[in-house]
Amino acid sequence: QKEVEQNSGPLSVPEGAIASLNCTYSDRGSQSFFWYRQYSGKSPELIMSIYSNGDKEDGRFTAQLNKASQYVSLLIRDSQPSDSATYLCAAILTGGGNKLTFGTGTQLKVEL
Amino acid sequence: NAGVMQNPRHLVRRRGQEARLRCSPMKGHSHVYWYRQLPEEGLKFMVYLQKENIIDESGMPKERFSAEFPKEGPSILRIQQVVRGDSAAYFCASSPGQGWGTEAFFGQGTRLTVV
């Protein structure tokens, strides 16, 4: 089982819709979770961090964490073509020496 | 406050040469990660360092690759006797500490091409 798992996509949504990106992790003791956005040919950019169960909102982005289900998600409201990128889920795995571990990423395409 | 600085941005090496990739963390950050990314693939963890200490090198190939983060100066990822398969983007990220709640920020990456 991969330590941090994401569906590779691509996920296609129409402009203005809500994009929902999902991630599961294997280490039940993990406490810190992050979403990064990576445009093609660029470096990853941190967009959200979440540490507690529930929702955390920042502008059009909402991160959701459910530790009991070992599940993290990212919702993007009013999706724009500029949101088209690969979204990387990451976790600090307590069983892995506290290193930041990434999923393989989900490619999001927002269509006009 | 400058972000994470990597240099060079692009590096071309012939097979058998050495490649040295540098990463200067953000001010106040004492931890550095190195990742490798092949085109259309995810980030592959290589090594996690603290100043003067390697925390986790489980992702580093056993041969030809080494990393350091001295007390003064940037972190260095060194690849000896490069081969074509080493061609990739190498990213470093820095964080202020270790464990819960520590956010990591990435540099722009070094694109290594082995010819």
Side-chain angles (χ1 to χ4, degrees):
Chain A
Q1 181 187 7
K2 292 181 181 177
E3 294 173 310
V4 179
E5 199 150 359
Q6 297 179 254
N7 187 322
S8 62
L11 172 67
S12 294
V13 300
E15 184 178 6
I18 296 175
S20 178
L21 303 157
N22 304 314
C23 171
T24 58
Y25 59 95
S26 61
D27 184 350
R28 183 170 290 278
S30 297
Q31 300 289 328
S32 305
F33 306 90
F34 310 90
W35 283 99
Y36 288 79
R37 176 177 61 197
Q38 187 177 25
Y39 292 111
S40 181
K42 302 295 185 183
S43 63
E45 173 192 9
L46 179 65
I47 54 173
M48 291 284 287
S49 58
I50 186 165
Y51 311 114
S52 304
N53 275 330
D55 295 359
K56 179 182 178 183
E57 187 174 319
D58 183 0
R60 295 187 297 112
F61 298 99
T62 299
Q64 299 174 318
L65 174 60
N66 183 326
K67 292 182 181 178
S69 301
Q70 295 175 236
Y71 180 90
V72 190
S73 66
L74 180 70
L75 301 178
I76 306 175
R77 289 182 299 282
D78 188 24
S79 295
Q80 302 296 310
S82 58
D83 295 326
S84 298
T86 296
Y87 289 81
L88 300 164
C89 173
I92 294 179
L93 303 180
T94 54
N98 286 320
K99 68 176 183 278
L100 185 63
T101 301
F102 284 83
T104 53
T106 299
Q107 185 183 6
L108 173 66
K109 294 183 177 181
V110 180
E111 298 168 334
L112 294 169
Chain B
N1 184 13
V4 180
M5 304 298 291
Q6 288 188 250
N7 67 81
R9 294 286 303 277
H10 300 275
L11 182 61
V12 179
R13 284 288 177 265
R14 295 185 185 279
R15 281 178 295 170
Q17 291 184 319
E18 178 180 286
R20 281 187 180 233
L21 287 62
R22 295 174 185 77
C23 172
S24 296
M26 289 178 69
K27 187 176 181 180
H29 285 193
S30 58
H31 289 67
V32 165
Y33 295 89
W34 285 94
Y35 295 88
R36 178 165 64 178
Q37 188 174 42
L38 294 170
E40 309 303 320
E41 293 190 9
L43 288 167
K44 183 174 182 295
F45 169 79
M46 298 184 75
V47 63
Y48 179 30
L49 307 111
Q50 184 182 18
K51 280 189 182 288
E52 301 184 281
N53 184 36
I54 296 175
I55 299 172
D56 187 327
E57 57 181 349
S58 58
M60 288 277 274
K62 299 297 182 193
E63 297 177 351
R64 303 189 297 110
F65 285 73
S66 62
E68 63 176 1
F69 189 15
K71 185 177 180 180
E72 302 292 336
S75 175
I76 306 287
L77 178 67
R78 183 182 179 206
I79 311 172
Q80 296 178 289
Q81 299 176 320
V82 295
V83 300
R84 288 223 170 102
D86 297 332
S87 296
Y90 292 82
F91 293 102
C92 84
S94 75
S95 69
Q98 183 178 9
W100 187 88
T102 50
E103 296 178 340
F105 299 90
F106 280 82
Q108 294 302 303
T110 294
R111 272 77 177 168
L112 172 64
T113 302
V114 179
V115 297

